[in-house]
Structures are given as C-alpha cells and as structure tokens.
Amino acid sequence: MERPEQGLGEPDSHPHANGCSLTGYGALRNGYVRGLPEAENQIHHIAHNGGLYRRPFNEAFEETPMLVAVLTYVGYGVLTLFGYLRDFLRQWKIEKCHHASEREEQKDFVPLYQDFENFYTRNLYMRIRDSWNRPICSVPGAKVDMIERLSHDYNWTFTYTGRVIKDVINMGSYNYLGFAQNTGICKEAAAKVLTQYGAGVCSTRQEMGNLDKHEELEKLVAKFLGVEAAMTYGMGFSTNSMNIPALVGKGCLILSDELNHASLVLGARLSGATIRIFKHNNMQSLEKLLRDAIVHGQPRTRRPWKKILILVEGIYSMEGSIVRLPEVIALKKKYKSYLYLDEAHSIGALGLTGRGVVEYFGLNPEDVDVMMGTFTKSFGAAGGYIGGKKELIDYLRTHSHSAVYATSLSPPVMEQILTSMKCIMGEDGTTFGKECVQQLAENTRYFRRQLKERGFIIYGNEDSPVVPLMLYMPAKIGAFGREMLKRNIGVVVVGFPATPIIESRARFCVSAAHTKEILDTVLKELDEVGDLLQLKYSRHRLVPLLDRPFDETTYEETED
Amino acid sequence: MAAAVGMGQQWVLVEMVQAFYEAPAYHLILEGILILWIIRLLFSKTYKLQERSDLTSKEKEELIEEWQPEPLVPPVSKDHPALNYSVVSGPPSHKIIVNGKECINFASFNFLGLLDNERVKNAAQASLRKYGVGTCGPRGFYGTFDVHLELEDRLAKFMRTEESIIYSYGFATIASAIPAYSKRGDIVFVDEAACFAIQKGLQASRSNIKLFKHNDMADLEQLLKEQEIEDQKNPRKACVTRRFILVEGLYMNTGDICPLPELIKLKYKYKVRIFLEESLSFGVLGEHGRGVTEHFGINVDDIDLISANMENSLASIGGFCCGRSFVIDHQRLSGQGYCFSASLPPLLAAAAIEALNIMEENPDIFQILREKCKRIHKALQRISGLIVVGDLFSPALHLQLEETSGSRENDMKLLKRIVDYCMNRSIALTQACYLEKEEKCLPPPSIRIVVTVEQTEEELDKAASIIREAAQSVLN
C-alpha cells in the first residue's frame, strides 16, 4: 500500500510541512483528540495531509465499547428468538395476525413477498414504529406541533386522539438555516408567485415547462456557487438518480463512498458503469482503488477505463462527517478523474457565507467537476441543482433524464429558493442570512461540545450540524424516542438497515433557529434521559477514522 | 535352468542391497536428490503458461501518467435542437407567453385547467400561510404533515382503493414502486411503448424484462405461454419467481388506451400481477375521472397497483400509488423515492386536495374533455403528410409524419418547422422529446397536442386549421 502522503503531497510541500511528522502508522493522526475535555485547549490538529488543510479538521469516532457491542448482539438475539416464537404463534393462529393479507382470489399466485423478507419489519421495526413518521401540523421550525396518536395493538395501527402536542422542540428537521417559516420575506414572495403562476408546471423543461423563473433561479444558483452555470431539478433524490446516468456509462468507473446516500447509489446503478466502493472518507482506500483502476484497466476486456467518477457527499447524513475534500481533490487531480460532490446537507450549512464544503475548506469551486445539492434543507424548499462548467450544464440540458421526462420545479417553491438564497448572499440588503450561517456554526459547536462533556458518544466532525448520538442497543432506539417525546422534544432515531447493525443512533440536526435556551433545555433533558437509559458510554477514547479497521477487499458491482 | 535364473536374480538383489550399504553417503544423497529432481520434473509444468510478473511501481507510475480519460461530457454543438429551451414568461396556463409571443397552450398537460384555478391557488395559499414552503425532512423524520395524510386518504377514497401513498415527484413514483416489488430473477412483461419512468424502474429492479408488442395481447399471451413451459421445466424456481405485467392506462408515447379487460383475463389465466401506470388517464378517463379501470368498468381490486402522477390533471407536483394495503404499505419501507426523499411541500399537497375536490364536484368536466378530444381528433384527420396517432379519448395525441424523409434528424426538423409555423400563429405546440440513445424502443418523432377543457371549440378548430396550413406549407 502506498503511503498517501507521497501521492498527495503538493509539489511544493515539504515532507514535514504536511503535518504528518509521524513515524509509521502511529495512533496520532487525523485530529486525534486526547483526553477530552481537559485537553480541549491543546488539541493536536494533525491531519493526515495537514498541508492541504487550511483549517483544523477534527473528526473522530469513538470505538464501540466491547461490552456494549456484546450486549447489543445479545439484544438482537433475544428479539430474533421472540420474533420466531411469535411468527410460530401467528402461524398457528394463537396470536392475532395484524398485517394485511393477500386477496382470496390471488392466494395461488406466487407470493408477493418472501416470508423472511418482512421478518425484521414484523418483529423488530413494528415494536418501535411509533418513533417514526410522527405527523406534524405546523411549520417544521425550531418548535413544531405534533398530532397525538395512540396505538392499541402494539403499533400495528394508529388512532389519532384529535389532540395536538404543542411546541415540541424540533431536533429532527433539516432546517439548518431556519428558512422553514410561514412568515417573512420568503413566504411573502412565494405567496405572490403562487398567485401569479399557480402551483404546478404541467410540462417538462424541454417541452413547455421552462419558465422565466427557472432561468432566473439557475443564474442565481450559479452565482451563489461560484460556477459558470447551473441547472435545477424538481426533486433532490432524482437530481442524483437521473443525472449520474447522463454523465457516465458502460466502460466508465464510479468510485463511491460506502456511506453514500441511496440516490447516489441508485444513480450509479442506473448508469451502467462499474461501481467500486471505498471505505468511508478513507483516502488510502480511495487512492488504492484509483491506482488499481488505472493500472489494471477494465476487468476481462483489459481496456483502460473511459473515465473515472468519484462520488462523495459534503456532509454524511448518518455519520455527521465532513468529506476530506482537499485530499479528494488532490487525488482526483493526480489520477485525472472527475469529482461529483453531493452537497445535500452541506450547502448553506457550512462555510463562512454558507457556500458549502468547498468554502469551508477554502477551495476553488472549479476544482469540483459536478457540484450537486438540494434545496430541501438549508433553503427550506424542495428540489435539487447541479452546477459546474458551461459545457457540463449544456450537456445536461440536452441529456439529463430529468430535463426530458420529469416535470420542472414548481414556481412558488422556486421563489422560496430565490429569496432565501439572496438572503444568504446578502443581496436583500440585510445581514440576516449571514447571521443565520454564523448562528448555525455557533450552535453546532456549542451543542456538540456540551454533549461530549456529558459523556455521550458523538460521531462526526465538530463543525457538522448533523450530530449523531450513539444508542447501540435496539431496545434503546424506541425508549429514547419515546422518552424524549415525553419531554416535548422530537428526535430522529435510526437503526438497521440505515446504520450498521450494532450502531443504532439518534440524530440531531442543529438549526440556526434554535436559541440557546432551546439547546439548553434539550441538553438538560438529554442529560436525564442519558442517565435513565445509560447512554453515557464515552470513555473519551477517540479513534480517528483512518485507524478504523480497513480491509482491502473491494466490492464491485457490474451491471449487465 | 529356471532355478539358475532364479538364483542369479536373487544374487543381483543381494548384491544391490550390499552395494547400497557400502555406498558412500555423498553418493546416496546425490542419488536421492536426483530422484527428487526426476519427480519434480514429472509433476511440474515444464514452462509457465503466463509469465506473471508484477508491475514495478515505476511502471505503474508510467501507466498512470499515460492514461488519458475521456472528457466528463462530450461537447454539445451550439445548434443542438434541445439546447435552447423555449422560455415561458408567466404562468403556463391556457394563454401562454412563449418566447415573448402570446399563444394558446396546446402543450402543457393541464387537462382540467386546474393550474390557473383560483380555488386551487387559494387552498395552496392557506397551506403556505400555515406550513411555509418546504418540509425539511423525509416522511419518516418529521416530514409527515397532516396534509399528506389527508391527501393519501382522499386519493384512496377517490380511487376506491384501501390505501394510497404519495411521492414528492411524479417520475420517481413508478420508478420507485417497481423495484419495491420486482427483484432480481423476477419477470416483468412490459409493453414496448412504456414510458421512460417505467423503463428506469425496471432497470433499477434488475428483473428479467420481456417486452411485448404495443397493445398486442396475442404477443403477450405468446410470451406468457413460453414462460409457462419454462416454468414446468423448473417448478421449484417457478414458485418463487414473481411475475408482473406492466402497462400504461393511456400511453404517453402513443396516446393509446391499453386493452384492460383482456389483460385481466390473462392475469388470472397465467397468475400474473398487473401494475398500471395511469399518469395520463387519471383524471381523464371514466365517468368520474378514476382512470382506465372506470373507463372499462373493471373492479379496481383486480389491478394490483395503480400509479399516477399529480402533475397532469391535478396540476400540482408529485405522484401516488394506490391499491390494497397488502401491496401499498410495503412501499413505506421499500419505496426508495418515498423513504429517502424529502416529502412533498404541503402547499402542493393542498393544491392536489383542492383539485380532487373540484373533480369530485364537477364530474361533467370529464365529459367535456372527452368531447373536445374527439373534436380535435376529427379535425386533424386527413391532413396530407401527417397522421394522427392516439385514441379518440386521449387528451394527448401525436402527429407523426406520414412518410419519413429518411433520417430522424430531418423528420425532427420538418416537425420543428410545423411547430414554429403554428407558434407564429399563436398556437403553442411542442415536439415530444425523447433521449434517443436511452429509450428502449424509440417512438417516431412527433408533435404532441394536448387538449384541455379550457380550450374553446373555436380554438380547437383554429388550431386544427393552422396545423393543416402548416403541414401544407412545410411538407408540400
């Protein structure tokens, strides 16, 4: 395995100037932080390729304590045993069967689902189903109103009591900058456009759905991102799944981070290119794949790859980690590949003026070939965009699946994006947008630091507004979600299959709309719930991401 | 004599053993090595089939240096027909301003004219005042609003099904629904004229795809029979291989209605499930606009899954699937576009609810639409050089060239000139756009004419006569 610093060192960087004054693969790397919080003042900001970073990159993951891991597996074991037992009882009609069944007329068809397919849903998910899909009936701002629901049959069905749980603190919505509002300039502007244009478009961009508003929005997005041109799409998910196939195809290679979002995975699959997976945010793994790909060419045919596209996200929504963009860009330049950066969570939420992860690292947007992002999160709207060179956008205008077959963005939604984006850029003549970005950064650091001090295991980068708090055990997923709601706090909990099986977690999304009082309330309640559920696992032994086990097997997926 | 020979042999053996004992050690070792060498020669390959020598890192560096990738995207010529979009200023409603010229809209799928409807707009406004624009989350994570639940409930009731599920984008609806059920190894029988969203859904599902000729039930039955024979050979595999027929109610690419009664017969005969894509037929066909099932008077429960978008008749954004809970509920955890995408902005859901209200209150609207479809359909007959493709009831029909000029590119140019001619005379039309390299069965180039209830009879006649003129001037 090549030492990445050899590969990555910029021509002018001195071997010792890249911040890696280590002998071999010692323990001190990648923002290793020793002995929190006492040592907070003397953090060693040692990144693997420190020379590439203009700011400290503190990203650490604490290892799962062994006892917790064992108990978690035991937990799943017990659940599975009981699952089998109850399936057995259901089969013999001893226990009432709640789930919907096939029509009588179609009983002799091939079953629509394999029996085991829904084992997990039936026996594990169903027990804690009340922690998801909680209906709300207000703006998804800092506080939301939630519709109360009850289940009399252990979550198989819900009944609505008609009551509303008022002012639940919202730690779940992706409202990073607080633009989810039903008052203010964004709403006013959207209302005006709604009256003028109506809600829908009823056509595609290439046919009759290219409104003047679309052109206006795309110019603004390009300006915001600092790229030559941009194109917008009606849905964030589809922006990935319908545009990656336009960029790469058979004979091309996609290198994808193992934790990439489902939309990127789907887009990669639909493209017909070969897909190889590198370890999460692991630059050695990426570089190895790049080298091997170029040296060995395509499998079987032995032809060189037509092109290589690296797919990464700005902020990973389940890990809270920030992509090592300076290193990725150095690698992509060295190996002449192309970079597709999905800024779904990072646009607006990172960088001094909200321009995303590129600004956060002080890089040049031109070094990223495809800048993709969504309007759902920071802008409080819907849809997605792709920005880049004019040739790229011209090509997408003619070849994007979305431009030809899918309805274009709704006008009032576009107006929300236009107004909120102008606000972030300061084009509305106020500093409100800028303050929001700063507030978010402050809130993020405060909330993360406080959680760490309280002894929770927190994943991800210290600047990432996505804050995963580890729960590990399956029973704690439900318990945590319910306990927090009891205290009027709405949280997101996630378990398998969205996370590795033992790494169930709760995820907080910090927002600029959260006041210090709100965050303090959340922290106070969390403290209690943490004691109650024994969630304070942390032994303050942080392991840098790179030192997590990395086996060299690569997973390959080839479409036929 | 024999004894003497025997004696002699014995003597030789004894002598050998004796010699063995007497031989010096180096001699024995040498012979031992020789024997091993012979064994090695016997059992090893005499030469290596492939000289495997690993590349040195210098060679690797050279290879990396040499490799020249293709550009990320090939250059697009400045006059690519799809590069420069027509710009619509203002709302794309009945009267539309295209590239600065006011026209009557014959291009947007606003069949019921609900895009410009005041009631719909007011409902959306009320929702905007309450919820703001975005939902800031997927359905699972605080992105489920009461309006979503209401819309799902209303759609299920409207379609007379048990349950419905909404997606935030029309294209993603069927494209996510298919892979939720049909997996690798399953078989999908699909009409070759199926729209692009279906094609992508099928690709994502990685199932075996069997294309049958457009609306050709004999061809479909032939395929089903072949499959039946195949199944008899391997009954074990057959009893876990799910089978689906995938058809559209009204075909986007041809404007034809699918022969649903025959399909239902085949469904029960061959035990295949039917998925129906109704984006064009929902809110169009049937006495109450319930789509192709109502049009043919078929029990909606005979269809396993109906999917449609809310971007045409309902003039909002998004899509939905409906059917029995047994089928639909599965998508809440397995529909990728449902689980992993932000939910539909509440104002768009509210607009769809109000549009449904209007549809329920005015069932005449569908009759009016049908009359108009028939009228323009008739008026467009016998234009020299052009043929009308599509069913009499279809609000989106295609005008194709009677005779191709030889190349697709030239055909497109001819049609473009017709479109421009009409556009100059205030009739906004559009060519049906396709990605030529991506389509499984590329439909011939065509102009798509969309009928809406807002178009008056005079406007329909005027459009038809202008198209006739245009064809005359361009094609003759």
Side-chain angles (χ1 to χ4, degrees):
Chain A
M1 178 104 206
E2 231 65 30
R3 291 280 298 272
E5 57 266 39
Q6 294 169 351
L8 273 171
E10 298 278 79
D12 56 345
S13 76
H14 189 265
H16 285 283
N18 63 6
C20 203
S21 55
L22 301 164
T23 48
Y25 285 85
L28 277 172
R29 245 198 348 242
N30 284 76
Y32 182 85
V33 183
R34 182 189 279 153
L36 267 177
E38 304 82 65
E40 193 85 341
N41 303 328
Q42 36 151 340
I43 297 172
H44 305 274
H45 297 305
I46 302 171
H48 199 62
N49 287 282
L52 295 175
Y53 291 88
R54 292 191 193 163
R55 57 182 303 139
F57 188 77
N58 292 326
E59 189 164 299
F61 292 81
E62 187 165 339
E63 237 172 39
T64 310
M66 181 58 87
L67 181 67
V68 175
V70 170
L71 286 174
T72 307
Y73 279 119
V74 170
Y76 276 103
V78 171
L79 278 167
T80 310
L81 274 179
F82 271 87
Y84 278 118
L85 177 70
R86 299 186 71 176
D87 270 3
F88 176 79
L89 294 178
R90 284 184 198 118
Q91 206 182 348
W92 292 93
K93 305 268 190 291
I94 301 169
E95 189 183 324
K96 196 171 164 241
C97 204
H98 292 279
H99 49 90
S101 59
E102 180 74 284
R103 274 176 95 197
E104 277 309 313
E105 294 94 318
Q106 291 182 214
K107 285 255 153 106
D108 54 345
F109 279 44
V110 176
L112 190 55
Y113 316 113
Q114 296 297 328
D115 229 17
F116 57 83
E117 242 177 283
N118 293 335
F119 179 86
Y120 183 85
T121 317
R122 210 164 42 229
N123 296 307
L124 280 80
Y125 170 71
M126 207 44 95
R127 288 163 172 267
I128 50 172
R129 191 160 82 114
D130 55 312
S131 298
W132 291 280
N133 300 304
R134 287 176 178 160
I136 68 172
C137 54
S138 71
V139 182
K143 290 187 175 177
V144 288
D145 297 341
M146 221 170 265
I147 301 173
E148 192 180 61
R149 56 177 189 179
L150 286 176
S151 179
H152 300 290
D153 50 6
Y154 300 99
N155 290 345
W156 285 94
T157 54
F158 289 108
T159 48
Y160 299 99
T161 59
R163 280 193 293 274
V164 169
I165 314 172
K166 283 265 173 201
D167 292 331
V168 178
I169 295 177
N170 182 3
M171 295 305 290
S173 294
Y174 306 130
N175 176 27
Y176 297 123
L177 293 182
F179 280 107
Q181 296 165 320
N182 58 354
T183 51
I185 49 165
C186 295
K187 183 255 156 186
E188 296 305 328
K192 216 171 123 213
V193 169
L194 177 59
T195 313
Q196 195 192 343
Y197 285 79
V201 185
C202 292
S203 191
T204 65
R205 289 296 295 279
Q206 284 205 357
E207 291 179 1
M208 202 53 80
N210 179 47
L211 307 186
D212 45 0
K213 279 273 160 213
H214 290 110
E215 306 264 329
E216 186 189 342
L217 177 63
E218 285 170 0
K219 282 203 189 85
L220 186 74
V221 171
K223 192 175 161 201
F224 180 74
L225 296 172
V227 293
E228 288 176 12
M231 191 170 179
T232 57
Y233 307 94
M235 183 197 198
F237 185 94
S238 293
T239 307
N240 281 332
S241 65
M242 295 171 86
N243 284 306
I244 296 173
L247 300 175
V248 285
K250 210 162 174 283
C252 301
L253 176 67
I254 289 176
L255 297 180
S256 170
D257 190 290
E258 63 177 340
L259 295 180
N260 272 346
H261 189 255
S263 56
L264 288 165
V265 176
L266 179 63
R269 273 190 192 161
L270 290 177
S271 72
T274 304
I275 303 161
R276 287 180 187 159
I277 314 289
F278 61 91
K279 289 276 147 192
H280 175 53
N281 228 351
N282 188 319
M283 294 303 118
Q284 287 135 301
S285 175
L286 174 61
E287 182 164 24
K288 182 176 186 314
L289 287 181
L290 278 167
R291 285 183 75 85
D292 286 355
I294 299 172
V295 169
H296 299 302
Q298 299 186 38
R300 306 225 323 276
T301 62
R302 302 278 165 222
R303 297 281 175 282
W305 295 102
K306 286 185 188 159
K307 53 194 166 195
I308 300 177
L309 184 68
I310 303 169
L311 300 184
V312 291
E313 287 183 47
I315 293 181
Y316 289 84
S317 64
M318 285 296 161
E319 302 296 294
S321 45
I322 296 178
V323 64
R324 304 176 156 272
L325 197 62
E327 289 174 79
V328 176
I329 286 180
L331 280 177
K332 117 178 171 124
K333 281 186 181 159
K334 181 171 180 215
Y335 294 99
K336 288 170 272 187
S337 44
Y338 302 105
L339 177 59
Y340 186 109
L341 174 65
D342 176 344
E343 292 218 69
H345 287 268
S346 53
I347 193 71
L350 282 183
L352 208 58
T353 59
R355 301 306 205 275
V357 69
V358 177
E359 189 191 32
Y360 174 77
F361 286 114
L363 299 164
N364 186 349
E366 278 176 18
D367 285 338
V368 180
D369 300 277
V370 189
M371 297 265 278
M372 180 270 166
T374 68
F375 301 125
T376 321
K377 282 122 195 164
S378 298
F379 303 99
Y385 65 79
I386 282 183
K389 292 236 160 33
K390 181 146 192 319
E391 300 91 78
L392 170 76
I393 301 304
D394 279 353
Y395 186 79
L396 287 178
R397 278 169 85 90
T398 49
H399 290 83
S400 159
H401 297 182
S402 198
V404 188
Y405 297 103
T407 305
S408 30
L409 259 171
S410 146
V413 174
M414 273 194 283
E415 192 62 26
Q416 163 85 16
I417 305 164
L418 276 166
T419 329
S420 55
M421 196 174 272
K422 279 182 190 158
C423 190
I424 298 169
M425 292 164 84
E427 285 195 4
D428 60 341
T430 68
T431 53
F432 176 72
K434 207 171 172 200
E435 281 160 20
C436 285
V437 177
Q438 280 163 2
Q439 187 64 48
L440 175 67
E442 257 170 55
N443 284 356
T444 299
R445 286 201 170 217
Y446 176 72
F447 192 65
R448 278 186 166 268
R449 199 175 56 236
Q450 292 290 324
L451 283 180
K452 273 188 195 154
E453 275 175 17
R454 283 171 171 74
F456 294 105
I457 295 190
I458 303 295
Y459 272 11
N461 193 292
E462 66 173 10
D463 287 323
S464 144
V466 179
V467 188
L469 180 151
M470 303 309 289
L471 303 173
Y472 298 111
M473 294 170 205
K476 289 186 184 177
I477 301 175
F480 186 76
R482 288 169 195 158
E483 203 56 49
M484 291 304 280
L485 187 60
K486 236 186 254 173
R487 291 152 202 265
N488 242 24
I489 298 169
V491 294
V492 166
V493 282
V494 234
F496 182 78
T499 67
I501 191 135
I502 67 159
E503 292 184 12
S504 303
R505 61 195 69 173
R507 185 187 62 186
F508 307 103
C509 290
V510 180
S511 164
H514 291 140
T515 57
K516 184 151 184 302
E517 292 75 57
I518 291 181
L519 290 179
D520 283 337
T521 316
V522 175
L523 287 164
K524 187 180 134 272
E525 301 293 352
L526 264 176
D527 205 32
E528 280 175 29
V529 175
D531 287 331
L532 184 72
L533 301 178
Q534 300 187 5
L535 295 173
K536 297 178 177 174
Y537 300 114
S538 179
R539 273 160 286 138
H540 302 300
R541 277 209 298 255
L542 300 183
V543 182
L545 190 60
L546 277 184
D547 283 350
R548 297 175 114 195
F550 151 51
D551 55 75
E552 297 204 355
T553 46
T554 58
Y555 311 92
E556 183 162 326
E557 190 172 346
T558 318
E559 283 298 310
D560 33 16
Chain B
M1 194 57 195
V5 171
M7 279 285 284
Q9 275 176 346
Q10 212 169 25
W11 178 239
V12 171
L13 264 174
V14 171
E15 220 173 0
M16 273 171 74
V17 173
Q18 215 166 23
F20 185 75
Y21 275 115
E22 282 169 9
Y26 74 90
H27 191 89
L28 286 177
I29 290 165
L30 195 70
E31 281 193 1
I33 290 170
L34 278 174
I35 289 166
L36 286 177
W37 184 250
I38 289 165
I39 291 170
R40 210 203 126 178
L41 282 178
L42 280 175
F43 286 95
S44 73
K45 282 188 198 128
T46 45
Y47 59 96
K48 273 189 187 148
L49 277 171
Q50 226 172 358
E51 197 65 40
R52 241 188 79 85
S53 66
D54 287 325
L55 294 164
T56 63
S57 61
K58 188 163 168 281
E59 283 169 316
K60 282 186 184 172
E61 291 302 332
E62 278 169 10
L63 282 170
I64 290 166
E65 200 55 45
E66 272 168 30
W67 183 60
Q68 274 310 325
E70 286 179 7
L72 179 61
V73 288
V76 179
S77 71
K78 280 265 179 294
D79 53 347
H80 191 288
L83 181 60
N84 300 306
Y85 301 163
S86 310
V87 180
V88 176
S89 327
S93 46
H94 176 52
K95 290 264 165 47
I96 185 171
I97 299 168
V98 190
N99 298 329
K101 183 154 177 65
E102 190 180 288
C103 301
I104 300 161
N105 191 351
F106 279 85
S108 305
F109 296 108
N110 181 18
F111 304 133
L112 304 180
L114 295 175
L115 185 68
D116 217 17
N117 189 291
E118 280 309 311
R119 276 180 65 187
V120 174
K121 282 183 186 175
N122 289 340
Q125 288 287 7
S127 168
L128 177 63
R129 277 195 295 277
K130 188 170 177 201
Y131 304 101
V133 175
T135 59
C136 290
R139 286 291 293 270
F141 305 154
Y142 304 102
T144 301
F145 286 57
D146 46 359
V147 253
H148 295 134
L149 299 174
E150 189 188 341
L151 177 57
E152 283 179 350
D153 197 43
R154 288 294 307 279
L155 283 166
K157 288 217 174 85
F158 181 82
M159 292 299 287
R160 310 224 161 142
T161 52
E162 280 180 13
E163 193 170 339
S164 84
I165 178 170
I166 53 172
Y167 283 77
S168 52
Y169 208 35
F171 190 96
T173 310
I174 189 71
S176 296
I178 296 169
Y181 303 99
S182 184
K183 311 278 180 196
R184 202 188 280 273
D186 295 338
I187 301 168
V188 188
F189 300 90
V190 57
D191 192 295
E192 61 180 17
C195 66
F196 197 70
I198 293 182
Q199 295 171 31
K200 287 293 124 179
L202 287 171
Q203 198 190 337
S205 77
R206 306 155 177 212
S207 313
N208 282 332
I209 298 159
K210 310 225 163 177
L211 290 173
F212 60 90
K213 291 202 189 82
H214 178 48
N215 270 351
D216 185 342
M217 291 302 105
D219 191 40
L220 171 60
E221 183 152 20
Q222 181 61 33
L223 287 175
L224 288 165
K225 271 191 187 138
E226 279 168 21
Q227 187 55 41
E228 203 174 36
I229 295 165
E230 198 69 25
D231 286 348
Q232 275 158 3
K233 280 186 209 155
N234 194 349
R236 216 164 222 255
K237 193 177 158 205
C239 69
V240 292
T241 308
R242 287 168 280 238
R243 265 147 276 215
F244 305 92
I245 295 174
L246 238 170
V247 286
E248 283 180 65
L250 264 177
Y251 282 88
M252 181 77 171
N253 293 353
T254 65
D256 295 331
I257 296 184
C258 71
L260 201 57
E262 280 90 342
L263 283 162
I264 301 283
K265 271 182 218 147
L266 291 176
K267 164 182 171 168
Y268 287 107
K269 189 168 172 196
Y270 294 95
K271 306 197 191 314
V272 192
R273 293 168 199 276
I274 293 187
F275 285 4
L276 186 60
E277 198 335 289
E278 289 221 73
S279 286
L280 281 195
S281 49
F282 171 78
V284 171
L285 293 180
E287 204 184 329
H288 300 90
R290 295 199 185 102
V292 70
T293 47
E294 195 185 29
H295 177 80
F296 284 112
I298 280 166
N299 179 4
V300 74
D301 277 346
D302 281 332
I303 311 293
D304 292 84
L305 178 132
I306 292 175
S307 145
N309 70 33
M310 306 191 280
E311 293 160 1
N312 303 339
S313 287
L314 291 179
S316 179
I317 304 277
F320 70 93
C321 287
C322 63
R324 301 189 68 248
S325 295
F326 174 70
V327 179
I328 299 300
D329 199 45
H330 183 66
Q331 286 178 54
R332 298 200 190 271
L333 286 176
S334 310
Q336 284 216 321
Y338 178 87
C339 300
F340 297 110
S341 159
S343 53
L344 185 67
L347 73 97
L348 295 171
I353 293 174
E354 193 57 30
L356 271 177
N357 286 338
I358 294 171
M359 279 163 63
E360 280 179 343
E361 288 163 25
N362 314 293
D364 314 342
I365 201 174
F366 307 109
Q367 187 55 34
I368 296 169
L369 182 62
R370 268 191 292 278
E371 291 304 323
K372 295 199 165 156
C373 294
K374 272 194 226 162
R375 189 179 184 97
I376 197 153
H377 206 277
K378 267 194 207 128
L380 288 173
Q381 296 297 328
R382 284 183 301 283
I383 294 179
S384 69
L386 289 178
I387 46 168
V388 183
V389 177
D391 200 274
L392 206 57
F393 300 125
S394 169
L397 36 90
H398 295 259
L399 283 178
Q400 292 173 0
L401 290 176
E402 207 161 38
E403 272 173 53
T404 163
S405 61
S407 83
R408 192 175 173 94
E409 204 179 325
N410 277 339
D411 288 0
M412 301 268 283
K413 275 185 189 147
L414 283 176
L415 291 174
K416 175 88 174 67
R417 279 171 58 198
I418 296 180
V419 168
D420 289 344
Y421 184 98
C422 296
M423 209 83 106
N424 285 332
R425 283 156 189 77
S426 298
I427 300 293
L429 296 176
T430 173
Q431 281 180 280
C433 294
Y434 304 103
L435 287 172
E436 296 176 8
K437 290 197 184 103
E438 309 277 331
E439 286 276 354
K440 269 233 154 71
C441 304
L442 183 63
S446 67
I447 297 173
R448 199 192 288 111
I449 296 174
V450 179
V451 185
T452 74
V453 289
E454 287 179 309
Q455 292 153 2
T456 62
E457 292 183 351
E458 295 79 60
E459 284 167 345
L460 289 168
D461 295 341
K462 184 184 161 205
S465 70
I466 289 176
I467 292 169
R468 195 176 291 273
E469 265 175 53
Q472 200 101 44
S473 94
V474 172
L475 300 176
N476 296 331

